[in-house]
Amino acid sequence: MSQTRAKEHYKILLIALLTQSAFLFIGFIFIGLFKWGEMLPFIASLFMPNKISLLSVIIIGLIASFFITTIVLITFIRTRTELPKTEGSDMIKKIMIQPSGIALTAIGGIFEEFFFRGVLIGLFIGYSLFVDWLVILISTFLFWIIHVPQYRGATGVLIVVFVNGLIFALLFYFTGSLIPPILAHVIYNISIGIILARKYKN
């Protein structure tokens, strides 16, 4: 990679990292507002499963990541799905051509899970079953909304984003731990990142 291209790549990576870090920052603000004085115990509780072992939630996360990634890859290959020509998807292509970009998508998956599942769901569930499902759907919808600009025009990709978001939310809701959705999201992002890197490197 030439020096100019390297500078451009790291500039894009920095912008993407700052964007993803916003989820972490906003998440801490929300926790501070709703759990002032209990921030650390609340954050710790996001990772501790409800009624199953830590090993169980890790296995659940790995199994979920395998099924999600396999189904999406087979679907995309069979339908020959392409990323749309938008500014956001162009940035994704540029990021993915280097291992550092793929690592960034893994970090992004962690930050997104912390905010959309841990904060937006974790803070507002437990009042009633109706409220729980409403919170899950709102969180999933917001997760989908932030991906619309980069995948605008690619209906199949947008459907996958919504379904994945719902699966990640349900993984958190039923296990009580962020570990399964983080594992599923991170492994999915890395797998898709490797495929995109091979596809767009040239």
Side-chain angles (χ1 to χ4, degrees), residues 36-51:
W36 187 254
E38 302 174 358
M39 286 183 68
L40 290 179
F42 174 77
I43 293 170
S45 74
L46 295 177
F47 295 89
M48 299 309 295
N50 286 337
K51 297 176 181 178

Side-chain angles (χ1 to χ4, degrees), residues 23 34 40 56 82 86 91 98 122 132 136 148 173 184 198:
F23 293 120
F34 289 93
L40 290 179
S56 296
E82 294 284 342
T86 64
M91 181 180 282
Q98 294 295 323
D132 288 359
I136 287 169
V148 168
Y173 182 70
R198 289 179 178 175

Side-chain angles (χ1 to χ4, degrees), residues 99-202:
S100 54
I102 296 172
L104 179 64
T105 65
I107 294 168
I110 296 170
F111 290 176
E112 287 178 2
E113 289 310 308
F114 173 75
F115 179 70
F116 288 100
R117 263 57 77 172
V119 175
L120 292 188
I121 295 177
L123 282 174
F124 303 108
I125 58 171
Y127 297 99
S128 72
L129 191 60
F130 173 77
V131 171
D132 288 359
W133 282 98
L134 185 62
V135 167
I136 287 169
L137 290 174
I138 290 171
S139 168
T140 301
F141 178 72
L142 292 174
F143 175 74
W144 178 78
I145 282 289
I146 66 152
H147 289 86
V148 168
Q150 65 200 53
Y151 299 128
R152 188 177 60 252
T155 306
V157 178
L158 288 172
I159 290 171
V160 165
V161 169
F162 186 85
V163 171
N164 281 357
L166 184 58
I167 291 170
F168 299 150
L170 294 176
L171 283 171
F172 173 65
Y173 182 70
F174 285 113
T175 65
S177 171
L178 276 177
I179 293 171
I182 284 176
L183 280 174
H185 198 158
V186 166
I187 293 171
Y188 172 80
N189 279 7
I190 291 172
S191 303
I192 296 297
I194 291 169
I195 299 296
L196 291 177
R198 289 179 178 175
K199 186 177 179 67
Y200 294 114
K201 195 155 190 176
N202 296 324

